[in-house]
Amino acid sequence: MSAPAPASTLTVAQLSAADLRARLRGPGLRLRTGPFVLALRSTIAEVADGVTLMYADYPVLGPEHFADFHINMAEATGWHRWVRPQVHFLPDGEAPFQPLPRHHAFPLFEWSFNWCISGRAHDWLILHAAVVEKDGCAAILPAPPGSGKSTLCAGLAHRGWRLLSDELTMISLTDGLITPVPRPISLKNASLDVMRAYVPGAVFSKSVNDTSKGVVTLMKPPAASVARAHELARPAWVVFPQYVAGAAASLSPVAPARAFMQLAENSFNYNVLGAAGFDAMTGLVERSSSYQFTYSVLDEAIAVFDALPRPAR
Amino acid sequence: MRTWQEETVVYNDLSGDTHLLGAPATTLLTLLRAGRASSAVLGAALCSAFALTPGEELDGDLDELLGQLRSFGLVDGPCWVRPC
Amino acid sequence: MNLSSLPLLIQVLRAPASMAALSLEQWELLLRQAGAANLIPSLHGLALDYTEFEALPAPARTHLRWHGTLARRHVQAVHWEVNRIAEALAPLDGQVVLLKGAAYAAAGLRAGHGRLFSDIDIMVARARLPQVESALRQHGWVGSPHDAYDERYYREWMHEIPPMVHVRRESVLDVHHTILPLTARARPDAASLLANARALPGLPGIAVLAPTDMLLHSATHLFYDGEFNKGLRDLFDVHRLLAELGADPAFWDALPARAHTLQLERPLFYALRYAILLLGTPVPAAVLAALRAAAPAPPLLALMDALFERALMPLHASCAGTLTGAAHGALYLRGNWLRMPPLLLARHLLHKAVLSKPRAI
């Protein structure tokens, strides 16, 4: 599943629009994202557009390549599809989500893909957290929605840190290293304006205004992060971020046992993994320093991250 | 079970639950894992470890702690049954 | 039935050792069909038992292993729930009989391997229901919310009381007093089922149905419940139960007569017929002969054959069915089993607004 990237790889950007659409409408578009291969099918234009923009740098594979996940973003059938077109996520089994308005198709695809991975890939302890890496050390940012994690992650990813993931931190049960699964960064509401200003020239998907989370926009991950997706990383810091308007950036240590419990509460599959999950979490807590982090200004926050003490070997 | 700075996380492989325990509960759990122990022995251990005074209040607290450990399935209670 | 036209999943269930020879492309298809039928955890067990697991292609091992993790966790959760039920009900007089998946798991039957489910089913004598409910409430189970009509529906017409949910563990417990709704045509004698139940060593007060009764219940469940999206998995239960329980010739000798006594010959007829047709289950000729009289008239039989063949196929596009398949990932999502306080599965990513309403498995 995880192999060094070959020297020259066909990417989504190199496909003609016609070829891309043909794959999506036919046998499926096979993409590599980190250790996983996804086979995506959809007749919905918004999905094709989103993939073209956000997954431009991702390797494309032929139909002979084994796919780990199969996602069909289908146009919901029924008479109302002319009046109120809808998109429905169809995995191989029972559909877990209600259909949504069609223009939500691309964000729904992103959520659905996360659902697939976090519900099945039990070779890893999977945290609901962003993770970025610099100089061989990874910082994990667990956080419930509204904590500003994605904005912070997007900022770091464009100021010298490698993006490993915006949502799914995958910790190997065998060696405790982090496996990257870089994907578009999900920005909500005002975060979009912040990132537009912070990263001139960044590529964003079309915003979807009326989701249950407000306005959702995806941000294209840096090409280097995608290209280096096969490079594992060593966890060094766990930082629980909290955006507080007007606050100065400040770090305070979190006791290991508390960090353990908070991490477990921010995990997708901790309580499925049994003793192996407990051991992986213990390993994570012991090899990293944990902090509570408050901030409001992105530059200040990034400076704090840049200055994090490197773990003693 | 792993302890850092006087707090302990423990995984119960019967229930699949993970718990965060303070020092007194950890002391009790460690003792009970070593074998059966009477309330008197447990009470004495808590007294010496945490410089507490024996008495009714301690007994009450001890009962409560044991009750909690029992309800989590971390220690055997009087009606304990094990799957075949 | 043309064997080679059967879906790959069914061919594998008939002959698990054939997994050793599958190409990567076939593995991808097999996993998709099995995913739709909620059978990947079972495939993992079959692969371990019937093939050189380490010689299988890496992606196959990976996916099987992922689901093996779920299966392991599930068994742990089942044992714990049964344990808690035993603690709550053991002090009362009378038996608590585990049914279906919980029974297979507690009795260590192969039918339980890799079989994930969301509710525990138990059966007690109808007269004891009030004490049983009361004891369960004292130990943290509460009735799920429903209105007066539902309450009446359950208590007067159904074979179970409304589902109970444990307040802390959020696990679901279905308490039955017989195995078929009171309104069904067949009225299997609940007292007889309870009287013949077998106690489980090490679990005071807990029992499972006698082997013939367990098989008959499985057959009944498959063909009376009407929810055929789990059909293949339920038929596979029948197949595995027969393989294990049928190792004892006394089982086969007793089966037809027991089916007759419990008025369950017709479901047994169908269960055996489709297990043989689809899964190649070995069944002694004498048993089939004894059940011939229970067969429906030929026109009805032909219709049933057509319906069941369709209904029992894995519900995957590759099997020419619709895509509403068995719950798979949804089982995990709903997580009654896997939500253990004080740690709750982080659901914020899952945008509750878009989740389907939970449905019983």
Side-chain angles (χ1 to χ4, degrees):
Chain A
M1 234 182 349
S2 241
S8 77
T9 324
L10 177 64
T11 62
V12 168
Q14 292 161 325
L15 294 178
S16 69
D19 188 358
L20 178 73
R21 262 161 238 272
R23 290 179 196 235
L24 284 170
R25 285 167 178 264
L29 172 70
R30 297 202 174 206
L31 292 175
R32 172 175 289 289
T33 52
F36 306 122
V37 174
L38 165 71
L40 171 62
R41 291 172 57 227
S42 185
T43 52
I44 298 179
E46 286 88 341
V47 172
D49 294 341
V51 168
T52 304
L53 270 182
M54 297 289 108
Y55 286 86
D57 303 322
Y58 286 70
V60 172
L61 300 165
E64 72 287 350
H65 209 104
F66 180 92
D68 297 295
F69 303 113
H70 296 262
I71 293 180
N72 182 7
M73 301 307 296
E75 305 195 46
T77 52
W79 66 270
H80 57 65
R81 68 189 234 260
W82 307 113
V83 178
R84 197 169 40 104
Q86 289 184 316
V87 57
H88 204 181
F89 160 47
L90 298 178
D92 286 330
E94 192 170 315
F97 302 151
Q98 306 278 21
L100 285 181
R102 219 179 90 153
H103 61 281
H104 289 210
F106 193 69
L108 180 60
F109 160 63
E110 288 291 311
W111 295 334
S112 303
F113 195 5
N114 291 341
W115 177 88
C116 286
I117 297 172
S118 61
R120 287 183 222 167
H122 301 306
D123 280 342
W124 289 273
L125 169 60
I126 307 178
L127 306 175
H128 181 208
V131 55
V132 292
E133 174 264 326
K134 191 177 200 184
D135 297 331
C137 290
I140 297 173
L141 285 66
S147 53
K149 157 189 66 85
S150 288
T151 315
L152 187 50
C153 171
L156 288 163
H158 289 90
R159 290 289 188 271
W161 291 74
R162 172 167 68 114
L163 173 74
L164 277 67
S165 180
D166 167 47
E167 285 287 347
L168 305 171
T169 297
M170 305 209 310
I171 297 168
S172 161
L173 293 178
T174 43
D175 59 21
L177 297 178
I178 300 173
T179 303
V181 56
R183 298 260 306 289
I185 302 170
S186 171
L187 300 173
K188 292 172 203 92
N189 304 317
S191 295
L192 172 61
D193 299 320
V194 171
M195 292 320 298
R196 267 203 216 282
Y198 208 67
V199 190
V203 177
F204 299 95
S205 72
K206 193 158 167 231
S207 294
V208 176
N209 295 326
D210 49 345
T211 76
S212 58
K213 295 283 165 177
V215 183
V216 170
T217 317
L218 280 312
M219 181 182 192
K220 180 168 177 275
S225 296
V226 177
R228 293 173 62 193
H230 55 282
E231 286 177 38
L232 310 180
R234 191 171 298 281
W237 309 286
V238 175
V239 180
F240 297 92
Q242 184 59 56
Y243 174 83
V244 175
S250 89
L251 271 179
S252 49
V254 173
R258 301 272 160 171
F260 184 110
M261 299 304 274
Q262 270 189 267
L263 282 165
E265 275 166 25
N266 280 282
S267 156
F268 291 103
N269 67 351
Y270 174 79
N271 59 3
V272 172
L273 298 177
F278 181 82
D279 291 340
M281 194 67 92
T282 302
L284 173 62
V285 164
E286 288 188 334
R287 68 207 297 190
S288 19
S289 316
S290 303
Y291 304 95
Q292 199 69 44
F293 180 56
T294 313
Y295 76 103
S296 58
V297 177
L298 201 44
D299 277 333
E300 271 183 38
I302 293 177
V304 169
F305 271 76
D306 287 340
L308 283 167
R310 292 182 68 85
R313 276 274 160 238
Chain B
M1 191 154 108
R2 252 331 207 285
T3 302
W4 300 289
Q5 299 172 19
E6 308 229 320
E7 289 180 316
T8 302
V9 291
V10 57
Y11 170 72
N12 181 354
D13 64 17
L14 266 182
S15 66
D17 293 337
T18 300
H19 303 273
L20 174 67
L21 302 179
T26 307
T27 304
L28 293 180
L29 187 60
T30 312
L31 276 172
L32 287 167
R33 282 189 169 183
R36 289 182 161 286
S38 68
S39 302
V41 166
L42 295 175
L46 286 183
C47 283
S48 77
F50 302 103
L52 303 170
T53 27
E56 260 186 47
E57 203 184 323
L58 176 70
D59 290 344
D61 288 344
L62 176 60
D63 273 344
E64 202 182 311
L65 265 180
L66 285 175
Q68 278 179 9
L69 290 177
R70 210 172 276 135
S71 78
F72 291 147
L74 285 170
V75 299
D76 284 1
C79 302
W80 192 254
V81 285
R82 297 212 157 235
C84 55
Chain C
M1 185 164 297
N2 182 354
L3 278 190
S4 63
S5 72
L6 286 175
L8 181 57
L9 172 60
I10 298 200
Q11 294 186 43
V12 164
L13 294 179
R14 294 175 73 98
S18 63
M19 280 190 277
L22 295 180
S23 68
L24 206 49
E25 188 184 350
Q26 287 173 308
W27 268 108
E28 184 175 298
L29 180 62
L30 175 64
L31 288 167
R32 297 185 69 188
Q33 291 180 356
N38 197 9
L39 281 171
I40 304 183
S42 300
L43 274 189
H44 178 242
L46 289 175
L48 287 173
D49 288 342
Y50 288 91
T51 72
E52 282 266 15
F53 189 79
E54 294 303 318
L56 297 176
R61 277 183 281 127
T62 295
H63 281 256
L64 292 175
R65 193 174 55 238
W66 289 355
H67 288 82
T69 299
L70 285 177
R72 201 162 40 245
R73 176 66 181 102
H74 195 266
V75 158
Q76 181 189 44
V78 174
H79 281 311
W80 183 241
E81 277 308 304
V82 169
N83 192 298
R84 302 287 81 202
I85 292 167
E87 188 184 67
L89 299 181
L92 303 180
D93 273 328
Q95 290 199 99
V96 175
V97 179
L98 298 176
L99 299 175
K100 299 192 281 181
Y104 309 156
L109 293 175
R110 289 190 112 174
H113 292 186
R115 188 186 186 284
L116 275 57
F117 52 91
S118 64
D119 299 1
I120 298 258
D121 293 90
I122 63 175
M123 183 167 125
V124 300
R126 196 172 185 192
R128 291 179 61 219
L129 278 176
Q131 305 126 276
V132 166
E133 263 191 274
S134 168
L136 290 171
R137 271 182 224 282
Q138 278 172 39
H139 283 81
W141 278 273
V142 299
S144 41
H146 50 271
D147 60 33
Y149 178 82
D150 284 346
E151 182 91 32
R152 185 166 166 236
Y153 168 76
Y154 274 104
R155 291 184 190 278
E156 289 195 16
W157 301 321
M158 290 301 286
H159 51 307
E160 55 188 314
I161 66 175
M164 302 189 81
V165 180
H166 192 270
V167 74
R168 205 177 62 186
R169 294 191 303 277
E170 300 189 33
S171 48
V172 179
L173 178 57
D174 295 325
V175 183
H176 303 251
H177 56 82
T178 181
I179 60 174
L180 277 182
L182 297 171
T183 49
R185 242 185 327 183
R187 301 285 217 105
D189 180 0
S192 178
L193 290 167
L194 288 169
N196 281 11
R198 308 283 167 91
L200 282 176
L203 274 176
I206 305 290
V208 296
L209 294 174
T212 49
D213 299 355
M214 191 184 275
L215 186 280
L216 289 167
H217 183 216
S218 178
T220 305
H221 185 244
L222 173 61
F223 292 98
Y224 267 86
D225 273 12
E227 275 190 57
F228 290 113
N229 60 338
K230 300 190 302 290
L232 180 60
R233 194 197 66 172
D234 289 347
L235 189 68
F236 188 55
D237 283 351
V238 165
H239 175 76
R240 285 205 280 190
L241 284 174
L242 287 174
E244 189 165 4
L245 303 175
D248 176 6
F251 170 84
W252 293 112
D253 292 340
L255 188 60
R258 189 64 175 152
H260 182 77
T261 306
L262 295 175
Q263 303 179 20
L264 296 175
E265 284 169 300
R266 182 62 63 85
L268 178 62
F269 170 84
Y270 282 130
L272 294 179
R273 180 178 181 79
Y274 299 116
I276 292 169
L277 272 176
L278 241 55
L279 298 178
T281 315
V283 176
V287 172
L288 293 174
L291 286 174
R292 211 158 284 143
L300 176 56
L301 183 58
L303 175 63
M304 291 304 234
D305 279 353
L307 284 177
F308 283 133
E309 269 175 56
R310 162 67 78 194
L312 293 172
M313 286 295 167
L315 292 161
H316 184 260
S318 64
C319 308
T322 62
L323 275 177
T324 51
H328 167 227
L331 165 67
Y332 172 79
L333 234 199
R334 260 178 247 118
N336 286 336
W337 279 112
L338 309 174
R339 286 169 63 122
M340 298 296 184
L343 302 174
L344 299 178
L345 182 67
R347 288 170 68 92
H348 6 272
L349 183 69
L350 301 174
H351 302 280
K352 285 185 183 180
V354 307
L355 285 177
S356 300
K357 287 194 185 299
R359 293 198 280 286
I361 271 245

